[in-house]
Every structure is written in structure tokens, then in C-alpha cells.
Amino acid sequence: MEKKSIAIITARGGSKRIPKKNIKDFCGKPIIAYSIEAALQSRLFDEVMVSTDSEEIAEVARKCGASVPFMRSEKTSDDFATTNDVLKEVILEYKKIGKEYDIVVCLYPTAPFVTSDKLVEAISLMDKECVDSVTPVVKYSFPPQRAFVIRDGFVQYQFPENKTKRSQDLETIYHDCGQFYVMKTEIIFGEKSTNKTAPMIISELEVQDIDNETDWKLAELKYKLMMNKY
């Protein structure tokens, strides 16, 4: 039986640090459009939907080609709701109308570096490695093992045992790109006792947290670089 898949773009309203962050113009179009277009262009999904509590975001999402079949509940719209809470709600709402999915791709609305090719690669990686999920990761630009902390006004090594170690002798550490995740639906509901996750390593030039206006400007610069292939 052919597997069914859904792309869920989680776009809550009410951003405080960057007003209307999820629909703010990014290099010529609403930033949420990049996630929607990548999902549609990949041709991987039976459904590309946006989960939001904002009618304004919903309107923009529909114009970009996404489905918004229902609004997010009050429970999953507060500051304490997790991404997993949102995904569960979406899957259960679709189940009520007879639609069930084997694979879920959670896409963030402020992820302009996501492309259809990356989504295809992630799904292929999950099949190839026989894993339950795939997470895009990026290497820390400086070894966290040699981090400083400030205590009593003085600079100290957080991990003094690494003070004299060479950077190349330290284990490479990665962090989540904050762009998208691929997973089997059963993982969302905790139906498996184990979860094997494969990494998808992304270049630092294609990763940028966007939490303030400076981040936004850096993201636009990196996006233009990516479009010009550096």
C-alpha cells in the first residue's frame, strides 16, 4: 500500500519580537510562502496544510496554495503548547474526516532555506537508512566544549578539562537547524518505544535562527548567497 504523507506548517500568530513574523516580507514575498512552495514543488505530499490561530496568516497561506481546513484550537495556541501538541491535533482532526497519514513533515513558517530538493532528500534518507525520523542539523561554528562562562565578574572556561585541547581533537557537535523534521506518524503519538533519527547535515550558510531584526537581515543575506550558489 502506498504511504500517505502530509506537510504541516506550524504558524501561530502574535509574534512579539518581530511583528507579524510569519507573513513578513522576506526577499519579495511573505516568509511563510517559502515553506509552502517547497512542500508543493516537492510533489511528496497528499496534503500541504497550515496550522494557525490567525485569520490573517490563514488568508496568506491559502493564497500561496496551502490548505487551512480548520483553525488551531485555543489549547494549542498558547505559550505552553509544544510542536508535538500541534501535530497531534492536526493528525486527529484529519482522522475525524477519514484522512490518515503515514509520514508527517513538520515545516516551520520562517524557514526560507528549505527547498523541495531538501525535502526529497530527507524522505529518501529516511527510506534508505530505515529510520523513524530525519532531522536537519548544522555543525557549531566553534566547539562548545571550549565555551566561556562569566562567574563573579570573571571569565572562566565552562569545561576546564578542555582548556588545552586542540579544536580538531574535540568531538564535532551539531544543533537543530530549526527548519523542518520528517517522521513517521506513530512517533508523534509515542507508539514506538524507540526512535531512530538520521541526521541531514546542512551548511551553515543555509541556516539562520530568526528571532530579531538582525537575524532577519542575516537570513536575507544568506538566502541571496544560497540562490547564487555562494
Side-chain angles (χ1 to χ4, degrees):
M1 184 182 296
E2 185 178 351
K3 293 180 180 179
K4 296 282 188 178
S5 59
I6 181 172
I8 301 173
I9 299 162
T10 57
R12 193 177 70 151
S15 175
K16 297 178 178 64
R17 286 175 292 188
I18 302 178
K20 298 187 178 182
K21 174 181 176 180
N22 292 328
I23 53 175
K24 180 179 168 70
D25 182 89
F26 183 95
C27 291
K29 56 188 172 185
I31 195 167
I32 195 174
Y34 295 89
S35 296
I36 295 171
E37 290 171 4
L40 292 171
Q41 290 168 9
S42 73
R43 299 185 179 276
L44 290 169
F45 305 104
D46 298 279
E47 181 87 334
V48 175
M49 71 86 66
V50 170
S51 171
T52 186
D53 58 336
S54 163
E55 289 289 354
E56 188 175 13
I57 292 174
E59 183 180 351
V60 173
R62 292 188 184 103
K63 287 181 180 178
C64 293
S67 171
V68 188
F70 50 85
M71 300 301 288
R72 190 183 296 191
S73 69
E74 185 176 339
K75 183 179 179 180
T76 58
S77 299
D78 63 28
D79 292 335
F80 302 101
T82 66
T83 298
N84 203 59
D85 292 333
V86 175
L87 299 181
K88 283 182 180 179
E89 178 178 75
V90 170
I91 295 302
L92 291 174
E93 286 297 320
Y94 273 101
K95 194 171 183 178
K96 289 178 184 177
I97 58 173
K99 293 184 177 182
E100 297 190 43
Y101 301 96
D102 305 289
I103 297 171
V104 173
V105 173
C106 174
L107 274 159
Y108 287 118
T110 53
F113 301 101
V114 176
T115 64
S116 58
D117 288 343
K118 286 176 181 171
L119 295 175
V120 170
E121 181 182 348
I123 293 288
S124 298
L125 183 61
M126 188 166 73
D127 290 337
K128 179 183 176 183
E129 300 296 330
C130 296
V131 294
D132 303 304
S133 58
V134 173
T135 297
V137 297
V138 60
K139 181 176 70 172
Y140 277 98
S141 57
F142 184 84
Q145 300 97 319
R146 298 192 62 189
F148 285 132
V149 292
I150 299 175
R151 293 173 180 155
D152 300 323
F154 299 101
V155 172
Q156 301 178 28
Y157 278 98
Q158 185 177 17
F159 308 106
E161 65 273 20
N162 296 321
K163 180 178 179 180
T164 60
K165 290 182 180 178
R166 301 183 308 166
S167 297
Q168 57 265 43
D169 294 331
L170 297 170
E171 181 180 16
T172 301
I173 298 180
Y174 300 84
H175 65 86
D176 172 17
C177 290
Q179 297 178 359
F180 69 93
Y181 310 95
V182 180
M183 68 204 84
K184 295 177 180 177
T185 304
E186 57 192 341
I187 297 300
I188 297 171
F189 291 92
E191 295 170 0
K192 287 195 69 175
S193 57
T194 60
N195 174 14
K196 292 183 178 179
T197 301
M200 181 174 165
I201 300 174
I202 306 296
S203 165
E204 191 177 356
L205 288 172
E206 298 179 17
V207 177
Q208 179 63 49
D209 281 338
I210 306 178
D211 291 324
N212 53 51
E213 292 293 344
T214 298
D215 292 340
W216 195 280
K217 292 175 183 177
L218 286 171
E220 288 189 313
L221 288 171
K222 286 186 176 182
Y223 179 78
K224 290 171 183 176
L225 279 173
M226 186 180 80
M227 289 296 98
N228 291 323
K229 301 300 179 184
Y230 311 146

